[in-house]
Amino acid sequence: MAVATEQLVLYLLTDGGLVRCRATDGLAGMEVTGTDLDGETLREVCQDPFEPRRLWAASTTDVYLSEDGGESWSQLASGGIAFREIWAMAAHPTRPDELYVGTMPAAVYVSENGGRSFRELASFRELPDYARWTFPPAPHTAHIRSFALDARAPDEIVVGIEEGGIARSRDRGETWQDASGPPSETAFPETKDLTGGTRYQPADVEPGRVYRDVHWVIRHPARPETFFAATGKGTYRTDDSGGSWALLTNGLPLAYSLLIAGHPAQPERLFLGAAGNYPPGWKGPRPARGGPYVSSRYAMNLSEKLGGAKSVIFRSDDAGDTWRALAGGLPAEHPYVVTGLQMHPRSPDALVVCYADGSIYCTGDAGETWQQVGVSYPNLYGVRLFAQP
């Protein structure tokens, strides 16, 4: 009887569609096997935890389904999503066909039929500071940036909000609590001027609180009460499920942190992608509206003056207490922002990172040495790795 073999498939999320690649020679070799969803700006690709050849993709406006490992895609009606600027999507790890979508303006939607229709978890918008959440470009509209779902706590939904901090539900979205730390009167603007007549009001780092500009949230693989957050003013850890947060600084500058990943087999090991400069200093395209990895053309362009994003990949082996920058073949202070940081699903010492200019690097030894991959697509906004039969 023939035995099915797995292959490692990489999906490149670009502003012109989805690119499917097959890995060869570990991660160092990569060949393009197809493109799809032409003209779409991709925000996420998720694998069905129960059927590895079943995938969902989210563009800025639509949700798509593939039943054949990404070889073909169909658009889903996704009725019920009222706000059609999608920023995040995640599949539930233990309940089949349960899919979450986060949007701008900040709202959370759930599907229980594989993305064909959604309903809003409306009490999310009743959080006390919701009306004060903000974002630099006018009209200062906050949005969902990431989900943290965990099989150990199947009824919990944790979301990172740009710029609204972290929120958590323990009852599948019926009720929500702020998990950003102690209450604060100064974490958000008093009012928001929707006309854009009032400048964006930045905030200071506050002791005990996670900074409000949250980009990525993950949960510790061995201690469920511990979370890590990558934010616009540094990287944070909570050891009490969001009651209080600590800014992690030993070996880590107060950088614009974007992506963070935890090693499942070595629970204290973390990888972080961060930029030394804020979005106005990044090289790359400047559309009218900003996005997760681009700055608006109406913002100041400081990329030449500041030398670009100055992206660096860091590693910690003690749950964030200390950090070191990784080199060994990675560009030093890459001028384009880091947009992808993904572990091999079967061998977590193997990772792939990518940057907005399309360059992709891989490591097989937990970041000690790196090689550039021979595939590159411009305006690359993410990479996802899946094992597929």
Side-chain angles (χ1 to χ4, degrees), residues 5-13 18-27 29-35 45-47 52-55 66 68-73 342-346 352 360 382-389:
T5 59
E6 284 189 331
Q7 61 179 339
L8 184 65
V9 182
L10 296 88
Y11 293 90
L12 309 183
L13 286 59
L18 184 65
V19 181
R20 186 174 75 256
C21 305
R22 181 172 60 242
T24 60
D25 186 24
L27 286 172
M30 192 184 301
E31 60 177 341
V32 176
T33 58
T35 60
V45 176
C46 299
Q47 186 177 40
R53 288 183 58 80
R54 191 170 188 237
L55 307 167
S66 174
D68 55 11
E71 294 181 17
S72 63
W73 294 85
Q342 286 280 299
M343 289 182 174
H344 191 300
R346 299 288 184 258
V352 172
I360 305 171
V383 59
R384 302 292 182 263
L385 279 68
F386 303 126
Q388 293 181 346

Side-chain angles (χ1 to χ4, degrees), residues 52-341:
R53 288 183 58 80
R54 191 170 188 237
L55 307 167
W56 291 279
S59 71
T60 52
T61 57
D62 288 280
V63 178
Y64 297 88
L65 174 68
S66 174
E67 301 273 14
D68 55 11
E71 294 181 17
S72 63
W73 294 85
S74 58
Q75 183 187 41
L76 297 175
S78 301
I81 301 179
F83 300 140
R84 283 285 175 159
E85 184 166 344
I86 297 170
W87 280 67
M89 180 175 68
H92 195 279
T94 65
R95 288 195 285 269
D97 288 330
E98 189 163 306
L99 193 67
Y100 291 84
V101 161
T103 64
M104 172 193 274
V108 178
Y109 298 86
V110 63
S111 172
E112 295 169 330
N113 58 12
R116 289 170 174 78
S117 64
F118 287 79
R119 61 182 173 88
E120 184 183 359
L121 301 177
S123 62
F124 174 82
R125 291 198 276 157
E126 298 170 4
L127 283 160
D129 287 321
Y130 183 90
R132 299 169 61 204
W133 294 351
T134 188
F135 188 54
H140 311 300
T141 306
H143 45 271
I144 307 302
R145 188 65 182 265
S146 64
F147 288 98
L149 306 177
D150 195 300
R152 296 167 296 176
D155 291 343
E156 286 197 19
I157 310 165
V158 179
V159 295
I161 306 139
E162 188 179 37
E163 296 185 3
I166 293 175
R168 180 187 60 235
S169 171
R170 289 192 167 109
D171 53 13
R172 302 180 67 175
E174 293 300 315
T175 61
W176 292 84
Q177 304 83 39
D178 184 273
S180 305
S184 169
E185 293 298 320
T186 57
F188 302 101
E190 286 297 323
T191 60
K192 284 195 302 185
D193 181 357
L194 301 184
T195 70
T198 302
R199 282 179 174 268
Y200 163 77
Q201 300 175 38
D204 295 325
V205 172
E206 298 187 18
R209 281 187 64 86
V210 69
Y211 186 64
R212 72 191 190 192
D213 182 15
V214 177
H215 301 139
W216 212 261
V217 184
I218 63 169
R219 201 166 196 158
H220 193 287
R223 300 196 302 272
E225 71 281 3
T226 294
F227 292 81
F228 301 91
T231 84
K233 286 190 178 179
T235 305
Y236 294 77
R237 183 182 69 211
T238 177
D239 294 314
D240 58 5
S241 297
S244 62
W245 292 82
L247 177 63
L248 305 175
T249 57
N250 193 353
L252 195 63
L254 187 62
Y256 193 90
S257 299
L258 291 133
L259 299 162
I260 189 166
H263 194 296
Q266 299 189 45
E268 304 299 285
R269 178 170 290 174
L270 300 164
F271 296 91
L272 174 75
N277 287 322
Y278 291 94
W282 299 350
K283 290 184 177 294
R286 290 179 172 262
R289 291 175 64 88
Y293 305 109
V294 294
S295 185
S296 167
R297 70 178 61 140
Y298 303 114
M300 292 185 295
N301 189 340
L302 302 175
S303 59
E304 293 302 322
K305 178 180 179 180
L306 299 178
K310 296 187 175 180
S311 295
V312 178
I313 308 300
F314 295 90
R315 187 177 111 184
S316 172
D317 292 315
D318 51 17
D321 287 340
T322 61
W323 297 83
R324 63 184 174 96
L326 299 177
L330 278 179
E333 297 189 336
H334 199 301
Y336 287 82
V337 69
V338 56
T339 59
L341 173 62

